[in-house]
Amino acid sequence: MTTTAPRPSDLQDERLANREGIRGTFAGFVDKIRGGDLGALPVVIGLAVIWTVLQILNHGFLSAANLVNLLLESSPTGVIALGIVCVLLVAQIDLSVGSVSGLSSAIVGILFVNLGWNVFAAIAVAVLTGVVIGWVYGQIFNRFGVPSFVITLAGLLSFLGLQLYVLKGIGTINIPFDSPLVIFAQLAFVPAWLSYVLVAIAAAGLFLTDLTRARARRTAGLSAQPLSLIALKSGALLVGLGFAAWYLNIARGIGWMFVLFVALVLILNYALTRTKWGRAVFAVGGNVEAARRAGIKVKTIYTSVFVVCSTLAAVGGILAASRLAASSQSSGTGDVNLNAIAAAVIGGTSLFGGRGTAFAALLGIIVIQSISSGLTLLNLDSSFRFMVTGLVLLLAVALDSVSRRSRTNHGRA
């Protein structure tokens, strides 16, 4: 049996990771940045700059009340952006997520309000619709080779038309304020004591996860993070999230809808980083032919990411309707598509495939919603929001292209 020699980049990364202590780990981090592996650093720095500028221009921007609203407003589009991350990882695109979200909100409105269905049955039908749409996309892509751009563009038009047809003669369906949907999206907040419990669980989860990974790597004879660094990271997370929870609790607290969004991010992150499916997604996005020769069922992976994307678009549409307490012909239209795609890209997901994380959707949508919230507080109209968001998106894509070129030059592409 023959073995494949490790690539020079693999050996280089291993040498960097093998440095002793926190100082050595930091030096390795700096070397990775110089090699073009920027991770989430650009978006974190960008978010800090945006928040600083907007706070200077309007001292109410970083108030607890405004941040609570910002997180709630971010959730529906953020869930949709989470699906976009999946399709971008395999170097494809879905332009119909806005129309799918609008159609799902219309289905919930018709079934729950007009026909009197049980709310959970109506939600199940809307989510199942998203599953079927994604499966159809996958079949068309795999069997006929139609580019995903064209398939989903056709879906955008078709499902927008279907949404208008379903709501024809109705226009807008108001969802009762005492319904579970509206209560969950507008009025349900995590109790203060429970928010601190969740923070402690998050910090403990990070510590145990990194510790388990480090022990497994050492057992395999590989380099691993030192215990001091693991403890430092977990402690920093505990302090940071604890402060955030305390500050948000000054106002209404943390909305359960945002908790749902974060939970979906964590679930997808686990699926992408700890499962065979996730490894296959990155393999297909990195090199389709190599993935096929490695025995990965490429067509199944393509179908799965389309299904995940459309399903999350349907969930996002339901959350948006719940937040607005209405399903209308304008649901899912406007800038929903663009913001979802922009959030995934701004958050660090590469348009070239193979690079990105589930947290890209979380970071990206907070950037976009921060711009929207800040400019609204400054009494500026939507034209400025579109221009600023467009510039941020262009900067993110340009940075991704430059870092990709740098990784290629350093043998890490």
Side-chain angles (χ1 to χ4, degrees):
M1 182 178 64
T2 60
T3 59
T4 302
R7 296 176 302 172
S9 60
D10 294 334
L11 296 175
Q12 182 182 20
D13 289 341
E14 185 63 25
R15 287 194 298 270
L16 293 176
N18 202 32
R19 294 177 176 177
E20 296 283 336
I22 296 178
R23 181 177 298 179
T25 302
F26 177 76
F29 174 72
V30 172
D31 285 339
K32 283 188 175 183
I33 292 178
R34 291 175 177 173
D37 191 1
L38 303 178
L41 184 62
V43 67
V44 172
I45 294 176
L47 185 61
V49 171
I50 291 171
W51 279 18
T52 301
V53 171
L54 292 176
Q55 176 65 13
I56 293 173
L57 296 177
N58 189 304
H59 297 309
F61 174 75
L62 289 181
S63 66
N66 187 59
L67 291 181
V68 168
N69 288 328
L70 189 154
L71 295 181
L72 287 175
E73 295 293 339
S74 299
S75 300
T77 307
V79 172
I80 299 174
L82 201 55
I84 293 293
V85 169
C86 291
V87 293
L88 288 181
L89 284 175
V90 294
Q92 301 301 323
I93 191 64
D94 189 341
L95 301 177
S96 68
V97 287
S99 296
V100 173
S101 70
L103 177 60
S104 71
S105 70
I107 291 174
V108 169
I110 291 290
L111 296 180
F112 174 54
V113 179
N114 288 18
L115 299 182
W117 280 36
N118 177 275
V119 61
F120 298 106
I123 292 173
V125 172
V127 173
L128 182 60
T129 300
V131 174
V132 172
I133 289 172
W135 182 83
V136 171
Y137 285 167
Q139 300 311 301
I140 296 174
F141 181 82
N142 290 326
R143 294 177 182 274
F144 303 104
V146 181
S148 59
F149 179 91
V150 176
I151 299 172
T152 56
L153 180 60
L156 182 155
L157 299 173
S158 301
F159 297 124
L160 175 59
L162 183 58
Q163 175 187 351
L164 297 177
Y165 178 80
V166 168
L167 295 175
K168 185 178 181 181
I170 301 175
T172 300
I173 300 175
N174 294 319
I175 302 176
F177 281 94
D178 60 351
S179 66
L181 288 173
V182 177
I183 292 174
F184 176 77
Q186 296 187 10
L187 305 175
F189 291 87
V190 180
W193 66 268
L194 183 56
S195 66
Y196 299 124
V197 171
L198 294 176
V199 167
I201 291 174
L206 177 64
F207 180 82
L208 293 176
T209 299
D210 284 354
L211 183 62
T212 302
R213 183 186 305 170
R215 287 177 175 175
R217 288 181 62 86
R218 289 193 183 96
T219 301
L222 300 174
S223 61
Q225 296 184 60
L227 180 61
S228 57
L229 178 60
I230 295 174
L232 180 63
K233 288 169 56 180
S234 303
L237 182 66
L238 179 64
V239 173
L241 292 183
F243 175 79
W246 169 81
Y247 190 67
L248 294 175
N249 284 327
I250 293 176
R252 291 179 293 170
I254 305 171
W256 277 111
M257 184 168 66
F258 181 71
V259 173
L260 173 62
F261 173 36
V262 174
L264 291 174
V265 171
L266 294 176
I267 291 171
L268 184 61
N269 180 69
Y270 178 86
L272 290 173
T273 59
R274 298 301 182 86
T275 67
K276 183 178 179 181
W277 173 80
R279 292 190 291 270
V281 168
F282 281 103
V284 172
N287 190 314
V288 179
E289 185 58 32
R292 182 178 290 109
R293 293 187 178 186
I296 295 175
K297 297 180 179 179
V298 174
K299 292 184 178 180
T300 301
I301 295 300
Y302 279 131
T303 299
S304 67
V305 295
F306 282 122
V307 168
V308 170
C309 185
S310 294
T311 302
L312 290 175
V315 173
I318 297 170
L319 294 178
S322 304
R323 179 68 180 159
L324 297 174
S327 300
S328 69
Q329 292 181 335
S330 62
S331 298
T333 58
D335 58 356
V336 174
N337 253 350
L338 299 179
N339 281 344
I341 297 173
V345 176
I346 291 173
T349 306
S350 176
L351 289 170
F352 304 102
R355 298 188 71 87
T357 68
F359 291 101
L362 176 61
L363 293 172
I365 196 59
I366 289 179
V367 169
I368 291 177
Q369 195 59 44
S370 296
I371 295 172
S372 176
S373 175
L375 296 184
T376 299
L377 290 176
L378 294 174
N379 294 320
L380 298 175
D381 58 42
S382 59
S383 61
F384 291 94
R385 175 169 61 87
F386 285 123
M387 287 187 286
V388 174
T389 304
L391 289 174
V392 173
L393 174 62
L394 179 61
L395 180 62
V397 176
L399 187 61
D400 177 46
S401 299
V402 172
S403 62
R404 182 170 180 264
R405 187 181 308 165
S406 178
R407 291 193 302 271
T408 302
N409 293 336
H410 286 78
R412 296 182 179 180

